[in-house]
Each structure stands twice: as structure tokens, then as C-alpha cells.
Amino acid sequence: IPLDRFIPNHQNIKPNTMLYFGSIIRKKGVLELAGIFNLVIEKKPETQLILAGRDVIDIFEKESTLNLFRKKLSKNALSHLDYRGVLDYNEIQELIKQVNLVVLPSFAEAFPMTWLETMALEKPLISSNIGWAKEIMIDSKTGYAIDPKAHQEYADRLLKIMDNPELVKNLGKKARTHLMYYFSYK
């Protein structure tokens, strides 16, 4: 990843915000994220979840995955959802800089560029622990890797990060350093 094109900026972080970016589709763990977000809202009702990406028709339910996601949210969680739709690449990078953390609970990845981009911007990431890309995400060092179906554990880690600015800084720095040594062309 060209780290010179990903310059971290910690100046305008909006408290209690998290971001999911990518296709709004079942295989990316979006429907699990609804259950996770419901748990987060119970403990920290001011939390905002920003979704950015293209909505996809669900393969099983034959309707919008975004609609399925919304149906799974509690009333309070739904009122704290901010769906931005498809955004320009630069807009995504700015959003990553502005949130507390990024959450990507995918069930299907190969070599996830979303992870690399998040880590390059020194943003804490909670990803999935489903067998791939363990050379990118090192659990508890460069972020957290958790089973997307473990809603309570996922929510607990999200809350831990949001409530601990020093942890945010530490995970972000370690993630970028890891990329610098193993995934940068320089």
C-alpha cells in the first residue's frame, strides 16, 4: 500500500462514531453488524454508525440488504444510523479519518484493501477472524479480529475502543507500523 497517499489526521475525530464501508451485502457481515450495533447502543446510546457503500439485493431474502439491516435494528439504533450510499474514494478516506473506529465483520475476503486503508490511516479496526489475512490483522496488536457471530464480544471490543483514547492511538500506530514493514512498497 502506498503509505504516502494515506496521511493520518487525528484532529477532527467525531466522538462515538464507527464506520462500515464496502458493499452492503450479507457476506460482508452487515446483517451481523445490526445485532452488534444494537448491543453497543444499549450501553452507549449516543453512538453513531455510518454505513457507506452500494446496497445489494440479498441472495436469500430477495430484497435490499440495507432494508434487512434496518429491520434488525432496535428503534434507538435505527435513529443513530447514517447511511451515506456510494461515496468517492477521497470521501471514504476522509470518513475514516473522522470516526473513532472502523468495523468490517466480513465472512468473505481475500486480501482486504479496506483493512489496509483503515490501518494506513492509523484507525482502529475490528475485523473478522474467519481464517484469512491473518498476516494483515494481528488480533490485539494491530486491531481486533472477532467472529462476526459473537455479537456480545464484538460489541464489547467496540465499546472498549470508544472509551479508551490511548488504546485508539496505540492500535492505530501499531497498525500503520505493521503495514510499513510488511505491506508498503517503500
Side-chain angles (χ1 to χ4, degrees):
I1 188 165
L3 290 177
D4 58 330
R5 291 183 42 212
F6 292 85
I7 308 303
N9 181 344
H10 306 291
Q11 301 303 312
N12 298 312
I13 296 173
K14 295 176 186 164
N16 306 310
T17 54
M18 54 189 197
L19 170 67
Y20 168 91
F21 66 104
S23 294
I24 311 298
I25 188 169
R26 180 183 297 266
K27 72 180 182 179
K28 296 293 186 176
V30 172
L31 298 179
E32 299 302 325
L33 181 55
I36 294 163
F37 188 48
N38 285 337
L39 293 170
V40 169
I41 283 290
E42 286 176 16
K43 300 273 178 151
K44 201 169 190 69
E46 65 276 18
T47 304
Q48 180 182 33
L49 172 61
I50 301 168
L51 292 182
R54 182 177 58 89
D55 185 21
V56 177
I57 299 299
D58 184 69
I59 190 168
F60 298 115
E61 303 293 327
K62 307 296 184 214
E63 72 173 278
S64 154
T65 305
L66 180 61
N67 287 344
L68 294 172
F69 178 83
R70 286 180 169 141
K71 288 177 187 178
K72 289 180 172 285
L73 292 178
S74 68
K75 185 177 179 181
N76 196 22
L78 185 57
S79 71
H80 287 86
L81 172 64
D82 179 4
Y83 175 60
R84 303 279 179 96
V86 177
L87 299 177
D88 176 82
Y89 188 74
N90 292 328
E91 290 176 287
I92 291 292
Q93 198 174 117
E94 286 307 309
L95 263 179
I96 295 169
K97 292 175 185 178
Q98 293 171 10
V99 297
N100 278 115
L101 61 100
V102 174
V103 57
L104 299 168
S106 184
F107 290 109
E109 295 292 344
F111 190 81
M113 290 304 294
T114 54
W115 294 10
L116 295 175
E117 292 162 354
T118 298
M119 295 166 73
L121 291 168
E122 293 183 357
K123 195 57 61 173
L125 168 64
I126 300 181
S127 66
S128 173
N129 67 353
I130 312 283
W132 57 78
K134 290 186 179 181
E135 67 277 7
I136 299 173
M137 177 59 72
I138 301 169
D139 188 49
S140 299
K141 180 181 176 190
T142 62
Y144 293 110
I146 301 168
D147 183 337
K149 291 186 180 220
H151 294 187
Q152 190 62 60
E153 182 181 1
Y154 221 102
D156 289 345
R157 292 292 169 94
L158 287 165
L159 291 163
K160 180 179 180 179
I161 290 172
M162 282 192 280
D163 289 338
N164 190 335
E166 195 57 39
L167 180 60
V168 167
K169 184 177 172 183
N170 191 21
L171 287 173
K173 295 273 186 209
K174 285 181 179 178
R176 186 173 171 92
T177 299
H178 180 69
L179 294 185
M180 186 171 42
Y181 284 110
Y182 299 104
F183 296 98
S184 177
Y185 63 83
K186 288 187 177 185

